[in-house]
Amino acid sequence: MLFRGLPVGSFTFDINGTILQWNSSATTMFGIDADMAVNNRIWDIFDQTQGNPWTQDKIARLSKSAKSIEFDWRFAKPDGSDVHLACTVVGLTAKNGKFVSAVACNLDISARVMAQLQLEEQMRENRNYLKVMERQRLKLQEANRQLRRMAITDGITTLTNRRRFNELLEEVLDSAIRQQHAFSVLMIDIDHFKSHNDEFGHLASDRVLNSFGEVLRETSRRYERPARFGGEEFTIILDNCDKLCSIDAANRFRNAINSFQWPYRQITASIGCSTFSGKETPEELVDKADKAMYASKRAGRDTITHYDDLNRATSKVAGTK
């Protein structure tokens, strides 16, 4: 009577795996009547194609050890529904300790398993969501980098633009004050650019600007930072560079410009230099370089002038006028 009234699906079986008893809770749990289960082999009742753990090998091992075992398993009921179970099998022995039979008690844990499955599914969804969010974060990060590059890069030459040049000039000036070293600025203007634009058109002139920027980039050394200032004007910050160094650098850029194979006609440039004395503002340095550049224009173009020499004879380098 006690066995029949157990609130868990229970059955007993002998050493051969033959089911001996089958309580009402087992009938409800498995959807199998007692008269269909009793006197049948346990592995025949629980079809092995369903992945159930009731095998002849397991019963044989149990009969040899006569020890209790526990495991979880799933059973597909005849009506097509699944039930998840926690099973405890207790071996029953005779006085001599020999295995006689066993009782299997099955507790329905479907609700717990489904909750676990739902939790795992939610966790998978959360992980997938986090992966999506991470991808979106990386995309946004890359988009911000691109926007930053676009904000500080000239569209035609891909050099830094005037905005970024102004930022760099502030940074280099602050560093020069702290470390008490010189630096210089070059202002470079393409000679007769308007006539080139009038003769060959805007697209040709854009090609020249692009090539000009490439010449400056390729000629620049590690601490030389070229930028497009606007129109046909370019600037270069020469960090840790005094007056003589700035003139040498200007000559190096001038020679690179003159030796380049230009697509339409020969291109030259007028260059102005200014060197930080320790008291100029960024605007004053640019203004000095600009004045020196216009002095080079007046001196015949394709020429280099340092602002400090404006009160003396213009420093002219041989070249096309």
Side-chain angles (χ1 to χ4, degrees), residues 184-188 212 215-216 219-221 224 236 238 241-258 269-274 292 296 302-306 315 317:
S184 299
V185 174
L186 301 185
M187 182 69 73
I188 305 174
F212 198 89
V215 170
L216 298 186
T219 308
S220 294
R221 294 178 179 173
E224 297 174 346
I236 303 177
L238 308 173
C241 183
D242 58 15
K243 176 183 176 181
L244 292 178
C245 174
S246 71
I247 294 174
D248 288 342
N251 272 301
R252 175 163 35 89
F253 284 106
R254 175 184 173 275
N255 291 334
I257 293 166
N258 289 344
S270 299
I271 304 176
C273 315
S274 66
S296 294
D302 191 24
T303 298
I304 298 167
T305 304
H306 195 284
S315 174
V317 177

Side-chain angles (χ1 to χ4, degrees), residues 82-85 107-115:
D82 283 354
V83 58
H84 296 269
L85 306 158
L107 177 65
D108 188 345
I109 58 171
S110 299
R112 187 187 76 187
V113 170
M114 293 308 297

Side-chain angles (χ1 to χ4, degrees), residues 13 62 66-69 87-93 99 101-105:
F13 56 91
L62 175 64
K67 292 181 180 179
S68 299
I69 59 173
C87 182
T88 299
V89 181
V90 179
L92 304 177
T93 59
F99 177 87
S101 62
V103 57
C105 298

Side-chain angles (χ1 to χ4, degrees), residues 3-247:
F3 175 80
R4 295 194 190 95
L6 286 175
V8 294
S10 304
F11 55 88
T12 62
F13 56 91
D14 64 16
I15 192 171
N16 298 314
T18 301
I19 297 174
L20 304 175
Q21 294 175 291
W22 185 271
N23 73 358
S24 58
S25 293
T27 298
T28 302
M29 179 174 289
F30 299 113
I32 299 173
D33 292 333
D35 57 0
M36 294 179 62
V38 173
N39 295 324
N40 285 294
R41 298 292 177 88
I42 192 170
W43 46 81
D44 292 330
I45 294 299
F46 300 128
D47 187 356
Q48 298 308 301
T49 61
Q50 299 172 351
N52 294 317
W54 299 101
T55 64
Q56 295 182 51
D57 183 60
K58 177 172 283 192
I59 301 302
R61 290 199 308 271
L62 175 64
S63 65
K64 288 179 181 180
S65 65
K67 292 181 180 179
S68 299
I69 59 173
E70 295 181 353
F71 55 88
D72 292 349
W73 63 297
R74 181 178 63 86
F75 176 68
K77 297 169 67 173
D79 63 6
S81 62
D82 283 354
V83 58
H84 296 269
L85 306 158
C87 182
T88 299
V89 181
V90 179
L92 304 177
T93 59
K95 290 182 178 180
N96 60 5
K98 186 177 180 179
F99 177 87
V100 177
S101 62
V103 57
C105 298
N106 295 273
L107 177 65
D108 188 345
I109 58 171
S110 299
R112 187 187 76 187
V113 170
M114 293 308 297
Q116 180 65 29
L117 291 174
Q118 290 175 0
L119 178 61
E120 291 174 358
E121 178 62 24
Q122 186 62 52
M123 291 177 68
R124 280 195 295 272
E125 290 179 1
N126 289 343
R127 286 194 293 270
N128 291 336
Y129 176 75
L130 290 175
K131 289 179 181 178
V132 171
M133 292 300 295
E134 177 62 12
R135 287 197 295 269
Q136 292 299 325
R137 186 188 70 81
L138 292 175
K139 287 180 180 180
L140 180 60
Q141 191 177 64
E142 179 58 26
N144 287 335
R145 280 195 293 265
Q146 291 179 6
L147 287 173
R148 173 63 177 165
R149 285 194 294 269
M150 291 172 62
I152 65 175
T153 303
D154 176 63
I156 295 177
T157 66
T158 69
L159 295 176
T160 55
N161 59 18
R162 184 169 180 173
R163 172 186 172 182
R164 181 56 180 156
F165 164 77
N166 290 333
E167 293 175 351
L168 289 172
L169 186 57
E170 291 274 4
E171 293 171 8
V172 172
L173 186 142
D174 289 343
S175 175
I177 293 173
R178 288 195 309 270
Q179 301 179 21
Q180 296 184 338
H181 64 70
F183 77 94
S184 299
V185 174
L186 301 185
M187 182 69 73
I188 305 174
D189 187 87
I190 301 175
D191 295 328
H192 302 296
F193 189 74
K194 184 179 184 304
S195 65
H196 186 286
N197 192 62
D198 292 342
E199 183 176 356
F200 299 105
H202 292 291
L203 292 179
S205 295
D206 284 350
R207 183 180 175 188
V208 167
L209 290 171
N210 180 270
S211 297
F212 198 89
E214 187 62 27
V215 170
L216 298 186
R217 183 186 294 106
E218 292 295 323
T219 308
S220 294
R221 294 178 179 173
R222 183 176 178 184
Y223 296 110
E224 297 174 346
R225 308 175 186 185
R228 186 183 178 195
F229 195 72
E232 65 271 25
E233 289 186 335
F234 294 78
T235 56
I236 303 177
I237 299 173
L238 308 173
D239 202 3
N240 250 323
C241 183
D242 58 15
K243 176 183 176 181
L244 292 178
C245 174
S246 71
I247 294 174

